[in-house]
Amino acid sequence: MDQLNHSQPVNTQAQTYKWSRAHLYNVLSSGKKPILTQPELLAAFQLVDRARFIPATNISDAYNDIDLEVGFGQILDSPVTIAHMLSALQLESGAKVLDLGTGSGYVAALL
């Protein structure tokens, strides 16, 4: 089983993933009814790289809108699901959140 190492950069082919990451951000933040409208969430999704929170075996799907297994029986929800969930919280700066079942840590990093 792959161990996650958040302190080291993910070994990816940058050209392959830059478009996909940008496309995912575009899907979440634009259109007639964007999912992400809060500036803080927009910034978080732009800064936090989902690829750093998944095992190398799933790296090719890092920016696809699908649930991913992260090991130890944990699933990382799809980015659209996470965006809806965090948007629904309507968090304000300085809010405290208890994130139970953190799994990979991706949602906690976004918060």
Side-chain angles (χ1 to χ4, degrees), residues 77-90:
D77 289 326
S78 74
V80 167
T81 299
I82 293 170
H84 278 294
M85 177 182 70
L86 294 180
S87 292
L89 290 174
Q90 294 293 306

Side-chain angles (χ1 to χ4, degrees), residues 3 5-6 10 12 15 19 25 28-29 31-32 36 44 60 64-65 73 81-83 94-95 97 100-101 104-105 108:
Q3 294 294 318
N5 184 348
H6 303 302
V10 175
T12 62
Q15 286 83 12
W19 180 87
Y25 179 78
L28 296 174
S29 63
K32 290 183 180 182
L36 297 175
S60 63
N64 294 338
D65 188 37
T81 299
I82 293 170
V97 177
L100 298 174
S104 71

Side-chain angles (χ1 to χ4, degrees), residues 1-104:
M1 177 144 326
D2 290 325
Q3 294 294 318
L4 302 178
N5 184 348
H6 303 302
S7 63
Q8 297 296 318
V10 175
N11 185 15
T12 62
Q13 299 171 352
Q15 286 83 12
T16 302
Y17 293 105
K18 279 185 181 177
W19 180 87
S20 296
R21 187 172 179 196
H23 178 73
L24 174 60
Y25 179 78
N26 191 39
V27 166
L28 296 174
S29 63
S30 63
K32 290 183 180 182
K33 291 184 95 178
I35 298 166
L36 297 175
T37 57
Q38 293 173 278
E40 296 85 2
L41 282 180
L42 287 165
F45 272 87
Q46 204 165 29
L47 293 172
V48 178
D49 188 352
R50 188 174 189 236
R52 296 185 71 156
F53 295 85
I54 60 172
T57 53
N58 290 337
I59 202 70
S60 63
D61 289 322
Y63 307 114
N64 294 338
D65 188 37
I66 58 173
D67 297 345
L68 294 173
E69 289 188 38
V70 293
F72 308 102
Q74 298 292 313
I75 300 290
L76 176 59
D77 289 326
S78 74
V80 167
T81 299
I82 293 170
H84 278 294
M85 177 182 70
L86 294 180
S87 292
L89 290 174
Q90 294 293 306
L91 294 174
E92 295 180 11
S93 183
K96 294 180 182 179
V97 177
L98 176 60
D99 183 13
L100 298 174
T102 301
S104 71

